[in-house]
């Protein structure tokens, strides 16, 4: 969505950037939370949100990369826990 300023004629992409920033923060929070609970669901969601935020050009690139990394770590923790417990799920 582009907004035009009537006086200067410039276009701003502020709403799209703000949405991408929100996605970056959400991916970080969901990735962090996914290390403890529901990592089979929260891990992929964190990965997708981080990828979309980076694709849209977020100004919080570090937070998006952390969300992406934590999403991958969620799935790695799930795989490790499933391997160690010889089950298809795990619990604390």
């Amino acid at each position: 969505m582009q907004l035009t300023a009537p006086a200067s004629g410039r276009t701003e992409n502020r709403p799209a950037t703000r949405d991408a920033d929100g996605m970056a923060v959400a991916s970080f929070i969901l990735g962090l939370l996914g290390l403890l609970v529901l990592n089979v669901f929260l891990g992929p969601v964190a990965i997708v949100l981080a990828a979309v935020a980076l694709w849209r050009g977020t100004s919080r690139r570090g937070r998006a990369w952390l969300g992406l990394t934590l999403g991958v770590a969620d799935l790695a923790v799930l795989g490790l826990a499933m391997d160690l417990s010889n089950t298809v799920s795990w619990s604390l």
Side-chain angles (χ1 to χ4, degrees), residues 17-89:
T17 303
R18 191 174 70 195
D19 289 345
D21 291 347
M23 285 185 212
V25 172
S27 72
F28 172 71
I29 291 170
L30 292 177
L32 198 58
L33 186 60
L35 288 174
L36 300 175
V37 294
L38 295 173
N39 45 5
V40 70
F41 174 71
L42 295 178
V45 171
I47 292 170
V48 169
L49 282 174
V52 171
L54 288 169
W55 181 70
R56 287 189 177 183
T58 182
S59 61
R60 297 179 182 213
R61 294 183 58 80
R63 187 105 6 126
W65 281 108
L66 281 173
L68 184 67
T69 304
L70 286 170
V72 171
D74 291 347
L75 298 178
V77 166
L78 176 64
L80 181 66
M82 287 172 38
D83 187 46
L84 292 176
S85 65
N86 294 324
T87 63
V88 293
S89 65

Side-chain angles (χ1 to χ4, degrees), residues 1-26:
M1 178 177 179
Q2 291 186 346
L3 301 175
T4 58
S8 64
R10 296 185 342 217
T11 60
E12 295 183 18
N13 292 325
R14 204 169 285 264
T17 303
R18 191 174 70 195
D19 289 345
D21 291 347
M23 285 185 212
V25 172

